[in-house]
Amino acid sequence: RVQLAESGGGSVQPGGSLTLACAASGVDASTACMAWFRQVPGKGRDEVAIGYFGPTENGGYNWFLNDTMKGRFSISRDNGKNMVYLQMNSLTPEDTAVYYCAASTDNCGIRDYRYNIWGQGTQVVVSS
């Protein structure tokens, strides 16, 4: 069964940090393009990824991080554990959202339509 399971969400104070994890099963995270998206309260899920991490033709990896998150967020992967992570620092109330992990077994990209496998999401609340 193909499945992505996010974890690590919770409540944190402004300025705090969280690391979200995405465990992949039935899909090889080392060869798939893995991305994070979010859905803030009252809005639909963002169509543009927070960031993605995907393989290149020469066996390396390419990654993208949304400019609005650079300096605060980072994406990493552990191929041995088939997991992808989203490290979030200096969180603000505007980062309150449900965070989704997604995988593409085809091409990488920043748009949600590139991704054919989605997790259920994990809630992050940033509040004092």
Side-chain angles (χ1 to χ4, degrees):
R1 178 184 177 186
V2 177
Q3 187 175 358
L4 300 176
E6 302 95 336
S7 61
S11 295
V12 63
Q13 292 187 342
S17 299
L18 279 176
T19 298
L20 306 183
C22 173
S25 58
V27 57
D28 186 350
S30 66
T31 58
C33 186
M34 305 296 295
W36 288 94
F37 290 80
R38 72 182 185 182
Q39 180 175 6
V40 299
K43 295 185 177 181
R45 189 177 60 204
D46 286 347
E47 296 179 349
V48 177
I50 295 169
Y52 67 76
F53 211 136
T56 61
E57 292 181 351
N58 62 2
Y61 285 98
N62 185 31
W63 63 273
F64 161 84
L65 194 63
N66 195 308
D67 283 345
T68 60
M69 279 75 170
K70 284 182 179 178
R72 298 194 302 125
F73 291 12
S74 62
I75 296 176
S76 61
R77 59 200 300 159
D78 185 332
N79 291 337
K81 295 181 179 179
N82 214 29
M83 295 190 68
V84 178
Y85 303 93
L86 177 65
Q87 173 69 43
M88 306 185 294
N89 300 315
S90 302
L91 287 163
T92 73
E94 289 70 35
D95 295 314
T96 294
V98 177
Y99 286 75
Y100 294 92
C101 177
S104 170
T105 54
D106 193 0
N107 294 320
C108 271
I110 64 172
R111 294 294 306 277
D112 58 347
Y113 63 78
R114 295 280 189 183
Y115 297 87
N116 55 330
I117 303 168
W118 291 84
Q120 293 299 308
T122 184
Q123 176 76 56
V124 172
V125 176
V126 185
S127 173
S128 56

